[in-house]
Amino acid sequence: MSFISLRNITTPYCLKNINLDIEAGELTVLLGFSGAGKSTLLNVIAGLAEYRGEVYFNQKNMNGVPTERRDIGYLLQDIYLFPHLDVYGNVAFGLRAAACPPDKTAAKIGAILDLLRISHLKGRYPKDLSGGEKRRVGLARSLIMEPKILLLDEPLASLDPATARSLLAEFKALHRRLNLTTLYVTHDFTEARKLADKIVVLIDGEIKQQGTSEAVFGQPATEVRQFIGR
């Protein structure tokens, strides 16, 4: 069985009988217009949305398992950083809540800030950060607890094109380095082409096609062809 398996997932007013398998270490892009159900599907995986059906992580049924016990890192489209904490404090929040010893906390934060090239920002507060810097801090906070699954909900939204291109390349390099099972939500074809091991096209709450970038864009299903054309 795959690392993440979704069976007959249905949610009120949105997802309709979703069946999806995601392999360990795979970067899966959920592609579709706003309202297609992409973010809802992330929330189902994270345990943040009501649903019918079955969610499995590494063959373990996760139905009823609370979000904090699902071993997930989640970067939302809106980055909610604590305004009263500097970058170090924001990234350290989860470790401190888990009573991680101070010396280990410092070492882990130093490593993740170095990995994301934001060590020079550790003393700054959110109000003094650019959009791209906030995304990197949010990503560091999502990764600091060493999750097995990373969920990214349109992480490049509202960024200027140059910053978006830079972060896109960093996401790809980071995934290769960490080999982390990742689901990435976007409506942008370029992001999907450049990032995905597998693309899953959602239209009106249903999976209409899934496969490699070459398969989805080179041989699109009828409804997907209409979506791409629009």
Side-chain angles (χ1 to χ4, degrees), residues 2 10 18 39 53 70 75 82 97 103 108 123 140 142 152 157 162 164 172 185 200 204 217:
S2 302
T10 300
I18 296 293
S39 297
R70 292 196 175 202
L75 182 62
F82 298 114
D103 57 335
K108 287 171 71 70
S142 300
L152 302 171
K172 186 69 172 179
V185 162
V200 176
D204 295 331
F217 287 102

Side-chain angles (χ1 to χ4, degrees), residues 28-90:
T28 299
V29 171
L30 303 179
L31 181 65
F33 285 132
S34 297
K38 306 184 302 298
S39 297
T40 301
L41 189 54
L42 289 194
N43 287 334
V44 166
I45 293 169
L48 295 171
E50 294 183 6
Y51 63 89
R52 297 193 305 273
E54 307 291 330
V55 175
Y56 295 92
F57 291 174
N58 201 21
Q59 304 183 45
K60 178 182 177 181
N61 192 311
M62 302 304 289
N63 287 3
V65 177
T67 301
E68 63 271 17
R69 292 177 55 198
R70 292 196 175 202
D71 209 1
I72 280 173
Y74 199 163
L75 182 62
L76 297 167
Q77 183 174 342
D78 295 316
I79 308 296
Y80 295 107
L81 300 179
F82 298 114
H84 64 291
L85 297 178
D86 59 15
V87 167
Y88 188 98
N90 267 281

